[in-house]
């Protein structure tokens, strides 16, 4: 695994055991077991990122060909990556956009899909993916966007957080540049 992919956030509490004093981490991440992620959130991630996740062998030849053709035509850049490929890129490889990294990603994804069950891949993916707001993993993202643990996400919140994966900087609903020009200003205070 990459150096930071398993890094966890350390939380320090006051002596009452519940009041948080502070958090320390190189990456804001708290890994959770897949059983803590509601089924509707898992399904929203599959719908947003890789509809064929449970049937594919870690790769999507159709997605790769579609992305290649669109990229060659100069249309919007697409990765054609499955959830397994994204997991492999984040967990084992780098973010560099090179042909050699893509080839490694392809072969490692097929191997990982043959070695791990889909639940393990989904769990590891959800714990490593970047969601924006300095949140790595679904638990940190849930707290960053909604101020609650992932197991408390509603269907709507699960859908929103799943959509953010594709482009956190462009889909974060609280960034002013992502709001329609006539959107009302709403201030939410936590605390």
């Amino acid at each position: 695994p990459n150096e930071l992919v398993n890094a966890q956030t350390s939380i320090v509490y006051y002596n009452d055991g519940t009041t948080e004093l502070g958090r320390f981490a190189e990456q804001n991440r708290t890994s959770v077991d897949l059983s803590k992620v509601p089924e509707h959130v898992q399904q929203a991630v599959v719908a947003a990122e890789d509809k064929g996740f449970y049937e594919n062998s870690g790769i999507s030849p159709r997605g790769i060909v579609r992305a290649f053709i669109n990229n060659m035509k100069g249309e919007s850049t697409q990765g054609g990556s499955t959830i397994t490929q994204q997991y492999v890129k984040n967990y084992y490889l780098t973010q560099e956009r090179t042909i050699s990294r893509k080839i490694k990603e392809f072969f490692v994804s097929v191997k990982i899909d043959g070695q791990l069950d889909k639940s393990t891949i989904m769990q590891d993916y959800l714990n490593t993916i970047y969601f924006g707001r300095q949140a790595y993993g679904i638990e940190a993202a849930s707290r960053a966007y909604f101020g609650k643990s992932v197991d408390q996400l509603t269907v709507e919140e699960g859908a929103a957080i799943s959509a953010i994966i594709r482009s956190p900087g462009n889909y974060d609903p609280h960034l002013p540049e992502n709001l329609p020009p006539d959107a009302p200003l709403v201030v939410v205070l936590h605390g």
Side-chain angles (χ1 to χ4, degrees):
N2 289 322
E3 186 177 319
L4 290 177
V5 80
N6 289 319
Q8 299 281 318
T9 301
S10 296
I11 304 170
V12 179
Y13 295 96
Y14 284 96
N15 66 354
D16 66 6
T18 58
T19 307
E20 192 175 305
L21 176 64
R23 291 174 177 253
F24 306 94
E26 287 187 61
Q27 287 186 348
N28 178 20
R29 178 191 333 275
T30 303
S31 294
V32 294
D33 191 83
L34 189 61
S35 64
K36 189 171 180 185
V37 181
E39 184 67 26
H40 63 266
V41 174
Q42 294 177 47
Q43 292 304 317
V45 169
V46 169
E49 291 297 305
D50 180 7
K51 291 174 190 66
F53 173 68
Y54 291 105
E55 293 80 35
N56 68 39
S57 60
I59 58 165
S60 170
R62 172 179 261 153
I64 293 168
V65 169
R66 182 193 69 246
F68 178 77
I69 291 170
N70 284 342
N71 292 341
M72 293 306 288
K73 287 180 177 177
E75 294 179 10
S76 64
T77 303
Q78 297 181 2
S81 296
T82 63
I83 284 175
T84 306
Q85 286 175 279
Q86 292 176 58
Y87 161 63
V88 163
K89 177 182 69 175
N90 291 324
Y91 198 82
Y92 295 106
L93 303 175
T94 66
Q95 299 298 316
E96 68 181 341
R97 299 189 92 171
T98 63
I99 299 284
S100 62
R101 199 264 307 151
K102 254 333 225 187
I103 292 169
K104 287 178 192 173
E105 178 186 299
F106 178 90
F107 288 106
V108 174
S109 295
V110 171
K111 182 176 181 179
I112 290 296
D113 191 77
Q115 291 178 342
L116 301 176
D117 61 55
K118 293 292 187 175
S119 294
T120 301
I121 294 170
M122 177 61 77
Q123 175 180 289
D124 291 349
Y125 169 77
L126 289 174
N127 283 317
T128 57
I129 197 75
Y130 180 65
F131 286 87
R133 296 191 183 184
Q134 304 304 310
Y136 291 84
I138 191 85
E139 177 67 18
S142 180
R143 292 191 180 280
Y145 284 95
F146 301 108
K148 58 174 115 173
S149 181
V150 67
D151 60 348
Q152 299 171 340
L153 289 179
T154 66
V155 171
E156 296 81 6
E157 291 164 342
I161 213 164
S162 298
I164 290 168
I165 294 171
R166 182 158 296 179
S167 184
N170 291 324
Y171 295 157
D172 183 337
H174 292 107
L175 292 177
E177 60 269 21
N178 296 338
L179 295 174
D182 58 347
L185 177 62
V186 177
V187 178
V188 177
L189 300 174
H190 294 282

